[in-house]
DNA sequence: AATAATAACAACCGCCGAACT
DNA sequence: GAGTTCGGCGGTTGTTATTAT
């Protein structure tokens, strides 16, 4: 048997594959190799067809704002069931959705990482010098060509007007307790998706007993975004990264993390511009929001 | 302009379940 | 019923393109 070919597909190979599918339909992938048409495995052929050659694919087309929101909502509802999510998104493959989500998660992880101090590597110029002035938000209008930014306008305004009220004190919760309260209601059934993305909807925002570490934030609009309860999954790498900032002894000990009070208390239903899911809430902040985060105190200063 | 960092994309790998022998 | 093959899925890695420094 000839050696199996791997790596990028050539145009000629694509043509052979397309020809085969035209003749026999998208099946019998293994026969392509057994017939000597291609030196690719059946799996590889199938993948190539499904992800690149299939008709009506949106190859090279960036995810639109609506697609992005659909992914966010569906991921919250189904989890990492990319194939299932892709069935709701014409022209997109599970691989597309998966890659899109992965890039997005990396981006968010980076944002979060940059927003908390690294105890092992003390930040330069923090302690001795005068505190750095917060970055002056640009006076330019926020660019609205990006979906995230576009949506963040609504969310930020909503947050700054609604959520900064009545939160004058900051709860202090032992980190160990926080870690122990791992049972997040992430299995909680989310409202069924409705594909009427442009209309305003009421969403039931599930309660999240786990508050997010307090991160003072300033938005482009000059309004502090404080005391946000940023829901997150404990199994989420972002959060693990966050806790990775502390040693195990810290977690078992009395280290305290400044936390926002739970804004879910006493109010379960919120009327929002569009449904916020556990992930989508933080996801919907503007990408540059974290540029204005004041660094947290180092653990020793708590 | 050169380099580094990051994002986006393409493809492979391993696992699993269904179908087949 | 056991073993094998195939196809589907999700995770991961490698490559290329783009952006930032």
């Amino acid at each position: 048997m000839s050696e199996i070919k791997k790596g990028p597909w050539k145009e000629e190979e694509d043509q052979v594959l397309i020809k085969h599918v035209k003749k026999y339909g998208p099946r019998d992938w293994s026969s392509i190799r057994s017939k000597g048409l291609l030196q690719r495995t059946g799996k590889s052929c199938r993948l190539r067809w499904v992800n690149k050659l299939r008709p009506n694919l949106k190859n090279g087309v960036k995810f639109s704002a609506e697609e992005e929101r659909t992914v966010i909502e569906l991921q919250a509802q189904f989890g990492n069931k990319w194939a299932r999510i892709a069935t709701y998104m014409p022209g997109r493959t599970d691989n597309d959705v998966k890659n899109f989500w992965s890039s997005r998660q990396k981006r968010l992880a980076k944002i979060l990482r940059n927003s908390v101090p690294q105890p092992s590597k003390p930040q330069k110029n923090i302690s001795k010098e005068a505190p750095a002035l917060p970055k002056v938000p640009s006076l330019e209008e926020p660019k609205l060509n990006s979906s995230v930014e576009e949506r963040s306008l609504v969310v930020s305004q909503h947050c700054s007007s609604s959520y900064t009220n009545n939160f004058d004190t900051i709860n202090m919760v032992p980190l160990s307790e926080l870690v122990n309260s791992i049972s997040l209601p992430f299995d909680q059934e989310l409202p069924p998706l409705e594909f009427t993305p442009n209309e305003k909807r009421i969403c039931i925002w599930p309660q999240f007993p786990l508050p997010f570490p307090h991160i003072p934030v300033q938005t482009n609009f000059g309004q502090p975004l404080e005391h946000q309860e940023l829901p997150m999954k404990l199994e989420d790498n972002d959060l693990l990264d966050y806790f990775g900032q502390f040693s195990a002894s810290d977690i078992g000990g009395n280290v305290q993390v400044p936390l926002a009070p739970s804004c879910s208390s006493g109010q379960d239903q919120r009327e929002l511009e569009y449904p916020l899911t556990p992930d989508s809430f933080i996801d919907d902040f503007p990408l540059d929001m974290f540029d204005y985060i004041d660094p947290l105190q180092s653990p020793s200063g708590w």
Side-chain angles (χ1 to χ4, degrees):
Chain A
M1 186 64 82
S2 54
E3 206 169 296
I4 293 168
K5 189 157 183 280
K6 291 183 182 180
W9 281 66
K10 292 199 174 73
E11 176 63 30
E12 310 91 79
E13 294 178 297
D14 283 345
Q15 290 309 318
V16 171
L17 188 53
I18 290 168
K19 208 172 164 182
H20 176 271
V21 173
K22 273 183 184 165
K23 200 168 177 181
Y24 302 103
R27 63 180 77 86
D28 294 333
W29 301 112
S30 298
S31 71
I32 297 173
R33 182 157 171 260
S34 60
K35 287 175 185 167
L37 297 173
L38 289 172
Q39 292 170 264
R40 301 272 184 176
T41 64
K43 287 177 83 164
S44 180
C45 292
R46 179 193 153 270
L47 208 64
R48 181 66 181 173
W49 171 259
V50 167
N51 288 338
K52 293 303 294 180
L53 303 178
R54 198 157 45 111
N56 304 322
L57 288 178
K58 294 181 185 174
N59 278 329
V61 180
K62 298 240 177 241
F63 274 61
S64 68
E66 291 312 320
E67 285 179 312
E68 186 174 354
R69 194 165 67 202
T70 302
V71 173
I72 290 165
E73 292 181 9
L74 289 168
Q75 202 279 341
Q77 189 167 350
F78 299 140
N80 294 1
K81 301 294 176 190
W82 309 121
R84 187 173 180 185
I85 292 170
T87 61
Y88 289 82
M89 306 186 66
R92 298 296 184 187
T93 69
D94 56 349
N95 217 29
D96 291 336
V97 178
K98 191 167 54 181
N99 282 336
F100 170 74
W101 187 260
S102 171
S103 294
R104 204 164 154 283
Q105 292 299 92
K106 279 181 195 165
R107 202 165 62 224
L108 290 171
K110 187 189 150 217
I111 290 168
L112 276 177
R113 248 196 315 277
N114 291 342
S115 68
V116 293
Q118 307 286 327
S120 54
K121 295 182 193 168
Q123 292 182 340
K124 288 186 273 181
N125 308 327
I126 282 189
S127 55
K128 303 289 182 209
E129 299 176 9
L133 291 170
K135 264 189 185 174
V136 179
S138 164
L139 293 179
E140 292 173 29
E141 276 194 304
K143 290 178 222 149
L144 295 183
N145 57 351
S146 132
S147 56
V148 172
E149 287 163 336
E150 206 169 347
R151 288 178 291 111
S152 68
L153 185 63
V154 174
V155 173
S156 299
Q157 287 169 338
H158 178 82
C159 290
S160 57
S161 61
S162 306
Y163 291 146
T164 54
N165 300 330
N166 308 320
F167 293 138
D168 294 325
T169 56
I170 298 172
N171 289 349
M172 296 295 285
V173 175
L175 191 53
S176 54
E177 191 180 314
L178 193 136
V179 170
N180 288 336
S181 67
I182 240 166
S183 56
L184 294 173
F186 252 76
D187 294 330
Q188 190 165 333
E189 193 102 8
L190 290 166
L193 274 171
E194 299 162 7
F195 288 91
T196 49
N198 292 321
E199 64 182 63
K200 292 185 181 179
R201 283 170 278 169
I202 297 177
C203 91
I204 316 289
W205 191 359
Q207 278 196 317
F208 290 94
L210 177 66
F212 189 79
H214 171 81
I215 301 175
V217 170
Q218 192 164 8
T219 69
N220 277 343
F221 310 99
Q223 296 287 332
L225 267 181
E226 291 190 324
H227 312 304
Q228 299 299 328
E229 181 183 355
L230 300 181
M232 56 205 316
K233 301 185 217 183
L234 266 184
E235 67 268 29
D236 194 317
N237 283 340
D238 293 348
L239 186 56
L240 291 175
D241 280 355
Y242 181 82
F243 287 122
Q245 309 296 324
F246 309 97
S247 69
S249 58
D250 286 341
I251 291 175
N254 293 320
V255 170
Q256 296 202 322
V257 183
L259 295 168
S262 166
C263 57
S264 63
S265 56
Q267 188 184 8
D268 297 341
Q269 292 192 14
R270 298 172 188 280
E271 195 169 340
L272 299 174
E273 292 293 327
Y274 57 86
L276 287 177
T277 61
D279 274 345
S280 72
F281 184 77
I282 186 169
D283 294 343
D284 287 327
F285 284 116
L287 281 177
D288 59 352
M289 178 192 87
F290 293 91
D291 293 347
Y292 308 110
I293 291 175
D294 296 330
L296 286 174
Q297 278 186 307
S298 71
S300 58
W302 292 345

